[in-house]
């Protein structure tokens, strides 16, 4: 199986009739919890291998090779010996057989003594290795049959002095280990450096995606380009997603969109009964203004007006439902619960009147038409939720209370007022607002009259004559 992480020796041919040996250092690259690639660095240890071979060659001066033969009677005949030290004493017997005892070599005698008497030894295909102690020192005896299981029963015996191998090898091991560690450290450093070049852009993409998921767009860092094609493509896709969601928030309230950013959330039709405060705002005589105004200039005025009112609605926790021509519909206490929602709706109207006053003055100086608004507010139960079909949904409210709020706005025309609120709204809003009763009104479709109030302003900011007017109106009604 392919290696994805860690270090592993390799042996691959790179040139004809040759092979390189070494270590592959692999570092796995992850994306989205899945491996997408591997950064690999090859460390060639061919030179170290050649140093080991040269060291071994120089250290086996006391090694010897002997060719032996297994005779039918079980004796071992020495056919050849790389050591010529005992050639003058190697006298064969009458049958031409030379034995270790005949040579008088204790080392060779001890080596051949490790051969088992069983004839199966000369039938083994794989080499066999023995370690023995002799007067000459510790030795390794390595046997390999020339023709396993076939005559003649010949075997090559290589005798290597253990000290010749292990003594210099001990110092070489420390040196080679140090070289290997340095090479592996270099490889790890390069791998980490390359991984950091990949990880940093991905970390930036992750931070941006997290901010977008939390609908945070201000102060979000730019992702920038990446030399890695896949990361660069992911960065561009994330930028597109951020721009799209930011633009989409201008069509849908943030609090509603945030509910569907939770994993597993799905938008579906349905609703619940909830007490809310509903606001309708309309521009007086807007049709007549349209007839005598230049279209694009009028659109700019209308957008400026919507910007002021919509910002105040969001500031006071309201949900902007929709724009209906020059009208605005908004409500409070859904989808998020808003304490004192009736008070917040009244505060929006009064604050908007103050803010919009300076705009009207500027429009007057510029010769632009004046906008005078009529507002109706009602507090009552509605069905709030996703209304529509599988093709398209609209998060809105429906019910009798919606109609009552709309009719409160229309009643301003009848009474010459600007802001009319229902008795339920006045009661919920509290005494900090100065109001006066207007009339008991049975709107279209209703038989029970409902008390309607004019919202004058904040009690703490109004003059004594206006407060007296509100009191006298109440007594008169």
């Amino acid at each position: 199986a392919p290696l994805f992480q860690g270090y592993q020796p390799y042996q691959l041919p790179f040139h004809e009739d040759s092979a390189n040996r070494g270590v592959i250092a692999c570092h796995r690259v992850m994306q989205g919890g899945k491996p997408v690639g591997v950064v690999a660095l090859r460390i060639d240890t061919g030179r170290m291998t050649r140093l080991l071979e040269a060291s071994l060659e120089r250290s086996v001066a006391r090694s010897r090779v002997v060719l032996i033969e297994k005779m039918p009677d079980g004796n071992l005949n020495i056919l050849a010996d790389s050591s010529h030290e005992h050639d003058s004493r190697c006298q064969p017997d009458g049958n031409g057989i030379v034995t270790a005892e005949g040579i008088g070599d204790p080392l060779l005698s001890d080596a051949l003594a490790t051969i088992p008497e069983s004839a199966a030894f000369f039938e083994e295909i794989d080499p066999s290795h023995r370690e023995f102690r002799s007067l000459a020192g510790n030795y390794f005896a390595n046997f390999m049959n020339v023709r396993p299981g076939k005559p003649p029963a010949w075997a090559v015996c290589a005798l290597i002095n253990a000290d010749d191998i292990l003594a210099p090898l001990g110092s070489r091991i420390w040196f080679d280990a140090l070289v290997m560690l340095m090479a592996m450290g270099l490889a790890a450093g390069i791998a980490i450096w390359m991984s950091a070049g990949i990880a940093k852009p991905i970390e930036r993409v992750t931070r941006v995606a997290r901010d977008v998921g939390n609908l945070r767009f201000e102060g979000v860092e730019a992702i920038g380009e990446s030399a890695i094609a896949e990361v660069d493509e992911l960065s561009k896709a994330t930028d597109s997603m951020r721009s799209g969601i930011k633009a989409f928030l201008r069509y849908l309230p943030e609090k509603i969109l945030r509910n569907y950013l939770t994993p597993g959330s799905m938008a579906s039709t349905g609703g619940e009964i909830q007490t809310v405060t509903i606001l309708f705002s309309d521009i007086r005589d807007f049709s007549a203004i349209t007839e005598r105004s230049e279209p694009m200039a009028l659109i700019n005025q209308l957008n400026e007006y919507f910007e002021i009112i919509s910002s105040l609605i969001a500031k006071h926790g309201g949900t902007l439902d929709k724009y209906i021509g020059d009208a605005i519909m908004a409500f409070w206490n859904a989808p998020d619960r808003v304490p004192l929602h009736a008070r917040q709706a009244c505060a929006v109207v009064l604050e908007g009147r103050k803010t919009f006053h300076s705009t009207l003055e500027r429009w007057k100086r510029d010769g632009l038409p004046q906008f005078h608004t009529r507002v109706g507010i009602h507090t009552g139960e509605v069905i709030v939720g996703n209304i529509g079909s599988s093709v398209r949904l609209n998060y809105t409210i429906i019910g009798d209370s919606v109609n009552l709020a709309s009719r409160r706005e229309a009643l301003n025309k009848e009474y010459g007022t600007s802001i009319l609120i229902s008795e339920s709204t006045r009661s919920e809003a509290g005494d900090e607002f100065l109001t006066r009763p207007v009339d008991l009104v049975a709107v279209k479709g209703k038989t029970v009259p409902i008390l309607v109030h004019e919202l004058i302003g904040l009690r703490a900011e109004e003059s004594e004559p206006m407060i007296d007017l509100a009191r006298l109106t109440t007594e008169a009604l």
Side-chain angles (χ1 to χ4, degrees):
L3 180 70
F4 287 111
Q5 189 84 1
Y7 303 89
Q8 174 173 308
Y10 74 88
Q11 184 171 351
L12 296 173
F14 285 90
H15 306 287
E16 187 176 357
D17 300 329
S18 68
N20 274 352
R21 297 172 57 246
V23 173
I24 289 181
C26 289
H27 184 81
R28 179 170 48 201
V29 180
M30 305 296 291
Q31 176 179 323
K34 298 180 180 179
V36 297
V38 175
V39 177
L41 179 67
R42 187 177 71 247
I43 308 171
D44 189 355
T45 57
R47 175 170 174 78
M48 287 183 279
T49 300
R50 290 191 293 273
L51 289 174
L52 289 174
E53 291 173 351
S55 172
L56 179 63
E57 183 180 355
R58 292 192 298 270
S59 67
V60 292
R62 287 181 285 178
S63 300
R64 61 192 289 191
V65 180
V66 181
L67 179 62
I68 61 175
E69 179 184 12
K70 176 78 171 182
M71 304 303 296
D73 60 2
N75 291 323
L76 298 176
N77 178 28
I78 301 174
L79 297 176
D81 189 349
S82 62
S83 175
H84 303 287
E85 180 181 351
H86 308 296
D87 284 353
S88 60
R89 294 184 294 160
C90 294
Q91 299 296 328
D93 61 11
N95 297 322
I97 298 174
V98 176
T99 63
E101 290 77 9
I103 296 176
D105 186 350
L107 173 62
L108 189 56
S109 298
D110 293 338
L112 298 183
T114 63
I115 299 176
E117 296 181 359
S118 172
F121 177 80
F122 287 87
E123 297 178 358
E124 294 178 359
I125 298 176
D126 297 328
S128 62
H129 311 283
R130 303 284 193 276
E131 183 177 358
F132 66 95
R133 183 183 296 275
S134 177
L135 293 176
N138 295 326
Y139 274 81
F140 297 107
N142 302 286
F143 299 92
M144 175 172 282
N145 294 316
V146 178
R147 302 187 67 192
K150 297 179 181 181
W154 290 358
V156 177
C157 174
L159 301 177
I160 303 174
N161 187 274
D163 293 336
D164 287 341
I165 296 176
L166 299 179
L169 188 59
S171 60
R172 289 290 180 180
I173 286 176
W174 286 106
F175 174 76
D176 295 340
L178 179 61
V179 172
M180 180 65 74
L181 288 174
M182 292 174 63
M184 293 176 65
L186 177 62
I190 294 175
I192 292 172
W193 175 75
M194 296 180 66
S195 299
I198 298 173
K200 285 183 179 179
I202 295 178
E203 288 175 358
R204 288 197 297 269
V205 171
T206 302
R207 286 195 297 269
V208 171
R210 187 184 302 114
D211 289 337
V212 172
N214 293 324
L215 299 183
R216 292 198 303 264
F217 300 100
E218 300 302 326
V220 177
E221 63 178 313
I223 298 177
E225 297 182 354
S226 173
I228 302 172
E230 291 78 3
V231 177
D232 188 59
E233 185 175 350
L234 177 62
S235 300
K236 292 177 180 178
T238 304
D239 276 333
S240 298
M241 177 186 67
R242 175 171 57 182
S243 300
I245 294 180
K246 188 175 181 180
F248 192 62
L249 280 174
R250 305 191 71 175
Y251 294 90
L252 187 69
E254 176 181 328
K255 62 186 71 175
I256 298 174
L257 181 58
R258 191 180 296 278
N259 292 336
Y260 296 113
L261 290 177
T262 305
S265 299
M266 290 292 293
S268 59
T269 57
E272 60 177 350
I273 297 177
Q274 179 68 27
T275 299
V276 300
T277 296
I278 310 141
L279 179 148
F280 274 89
S281 176
D282 194 12
I283 298 175
R284 189 175 67 194
D285 299 328
F286 187 74
S287 297
I289 295 174
T290 303
E291 293 177 357
R292 60 177 183 267
S293 300
E294 196 275 321
M296 291 309 301
L298 183 60
I299 286 296
N300 291 335
Q301 278 188 269
L302 191 61
N303 288 336
E304 188 174 358
Y305 161 71
F306 283 155
E307 179 68 26
I308 294 172
I309 303 304
S310 301
S311 299
L312 290 173
I313 291 172
K315 173 185 174 182
H316 288 270
T319 299
L320 181 60
D321 187 293
K322 60 177 69 73
Y323 300 113
I324 312 169
D326 62 312
I328 296 176
M329 175 183 172
F331 54 88
W332 280 257
N333 208 36
D336 296 335
R337 298 298 177 260
V338 179
L340 304 176
H341 48 87
R343 181 201 174 280
Q344 299 295 344
C346 294
V348 164
V349 178
L350 297 180
E351 190 173 340
R353 185 169 63 183
K354 291 180 181 179
T355 305
F356 195 52
H357 179 74
S358 59
T359 303
L360 289 175
E361 291 293 327
R362 176 167 49 82
W363 286 355
K364 185 176 182 180
R365 291 193 302 270
D366 296 339
L368 297 175
Q370 301 290 286
F371 288 179
H372 299 285
T373 59
R374 293 191 291 246
V375 178
I377 304 176
H378 175 67
T379 301
E381 287 189 344
V382 296
I383 298 175
V384 57
N386 294 322
I387 310 299
S389 65
S390 60
V391 177
R392 183 168 181 176
L393 294 173
N394 182 24
Y395 184 85
T396 187
I397 56 176
I398 59 174
D400 186 56
S401 292
V402 180
N403 298 330
L404 288 174
S406 176
R407 288 167 184 170
R408 294 289 176 275
E409 181 272 319
L411 282 174
N412 283 288
K413 185 177 181 180
E414 302 295 330
Y415 292 99
T417 54
S418 296
I419 310 170
L420 289 181
I421 64 175
S422 64
E423 171 63 25
S424 58
T425 301
R426 187 204 64 79
S427 176
E428 291 287 339
D431 294 335
E432 68 175 298
F433 296 101
L434 181 63
T435 63
R436 64 170 183 165
V438 174
D439 202 354
L440 283 167
V441 179
V443 297
K444 184 178 180 181
K446 295 290 183 179
T447 57
V448 178
I450 299 174
L451 186 59
V452 178
H453 298 263
E454 179 185 12
L455 178 60
I456 299 173
L458 290 171
R459 185 179 297 273
E461 297 178 357
E462 292 298 332
S463 62
E464 285 298 326
M466 189 59 70
I467 295 175
D468 288 339
L469 176 62
R471 177 180 56 80
L472 292 172
T473 306
T474 304
E475 293 175 359
L477 184 68

